[in-house]
Amino acid sequence: MPKKRCRQHVNPLSFRAEVERPDWEKVFPDLSRPLEVDVGCGKGTFLLARAASVPGRNLVGLEIRKPMVERARKDAAKLSLTNVFVLEANANLHFASLFREASVERVYVHFPDPWFKKRHHKLRVVTKAFLEDLASRLRDGGELHFMTDYEEYAKAVLPLVEAHAAFENALGPGTMALAPLVPDALSDREEWHMRQGDPIFRYLFRRRGR
Ligand SMILES: C[S@@+](CC[C@H](N)C(=O)[O-])C[C@H]1O[C@@H](n2cnc3c(N)ncnc32)[C@H](O)[C@@H]1O
């Protein structure tokens, strides 16, 4: 059973607004840099730390909770980061329209809302349809980083991704990472669960060549 912890989920179905694709040429000073996308970036702790540590890459955070988006934007401005952009968007609805085919180097899905009840599983971010979007938007050799503290979610995602023809488990079939995949930029949840000594299920998937 998952540990009792107050988790306030916003139903992603409540965010269905149209989201226009930003003019990426205007957003980022250099569009030729590798692009990374943090899905469900929350208040942007990981996103901003990552952007600060890799100035030669462009980072986009997608988040359905407006206050979190505003907070992340404010903090990015305070840090004068020009290689990061936070967008109020529903990854399940908007991912494919926001990015060009084979243009994304890396996608992070860190501690997605678990939606414990079976009837709520359809609200989870990682679905077959979402994987199709990722397969199309990731470039060959691009990466999908997935982390959760909820074993049942990990057990659902692992076979789903490994069975997909476009992906392979970069660490070997069924294998999870035993340490942070990006040690110099932990997400809030990753940091919290590490402090609690909780198990964390971390996977590194790679997009196969087309
Ligand atoms: C449990 S929090 C994890 C936040 C952060 N990634 C971390 O590891 O600390 C999950 C986040 O995903 C956001 N989210 C849920 N469904 C989403 C969707 N379909 N598109 C974008 N963001 C979503 C939630 O609003 C929430 O901020």
Side-chain angles (χ1 to χ4, degrees), residues 10 12 38-42 62-65 68 89-92 110-113 125 187-190:
V10 171
D38 186 9
V39 170
C41 64
L62 305 180
E63 174 54 57
I64 50 174
R65 289 189 289 169
M68 299 286 132
N90 180 338
N92 291 104
H110 292 158
F111 299 88
D113 291 334
V125 169
S187 85
D188 283 324
R189 292 283 175 149
E190 185 175 23

Side-chain angles (χ1 to χ4, degrees), residues 17-181:
E18 293 278 312
V19 174
E20 231 176 87
R21 181 190 346 209
D23 185 347
W24 294 120
E25 304 263 350
K26 289 193 182 135
V27 170
F28 293 120
D30 182 356
L31 250 198
S32 69
R33 293 170 177 170
L35 173 66
E36 301 188 0
V37 182
D38 186 9
V39 170
C41 64
K43 61 185 162 72
T45 304
F46 167 83
L47 182 73
L48 303 192
R50 176 73 182 154
S53 80
V54 287
R57 291 182 168 224
N58 294 328
L59 278 284
V60 174
L62 305 180
E63 174 54 57
I64 50 174
R65 289 189 289 169
K66 197 182 179 120
M68 299 286 132
V69 172
E70 286 168 352
R71 165 84 184 269
R73 283 184 178 162
K74 214 188 253 179
D75 288 347
K78 264 192 224 157
L79 295 167
S80 307
L81 292 169
T82 57
N83 63 331
V84 65
F85 189 74
V86 190
L87 202 58
E88 190 185 358
N90 180 338
N92 291 104
L93 294 180
H94 306 117
F95 196 95
S97 62
L98 288 172
F99 307 106
R100 275 182 300 108
E101 191 172 352
S103 66
V104 180
E105 175 75 29
R106 206 185 259 187
V107 173
Y108 303 101
V109 181
H110 292 158
F111 299 88
D113 291 334
W115 296 104
F116 299 115
K117 294 180 181 154
K118 191 152 192 212
R119 68 173 193 277
H120 289 151
H121 285 185
K122 60 179 182 292
L123 302 175
R124 288 180 174 174
V125 169
V126 183
T127 62
K128 271 189 178 165
F130 183 60
L131 270 190
E132 292 306 326
D133 289 347
L134 297 190
S136 140
R137 271 37 195 165
L138 276 167
R139 70 160 188 79
D140 292 359
E143 294 176 358
L144 165 61
H145 292 207
F146 176 84
M147 285 197 278
T148 181
D149 60 307
Y150 184 36
E151 187 170 11
E152 193 267 337
Y153 202 161
K155 279 186 173 161
V157 165
L158 180 65
L160 192 69
V161 185
E162 287 191 347
H164 195 293
F167 291 96
E168 64 182 346
N169 187 332
L171 304 176
T175 308
M176 66 176 181
L178 300 175
L181 289 166

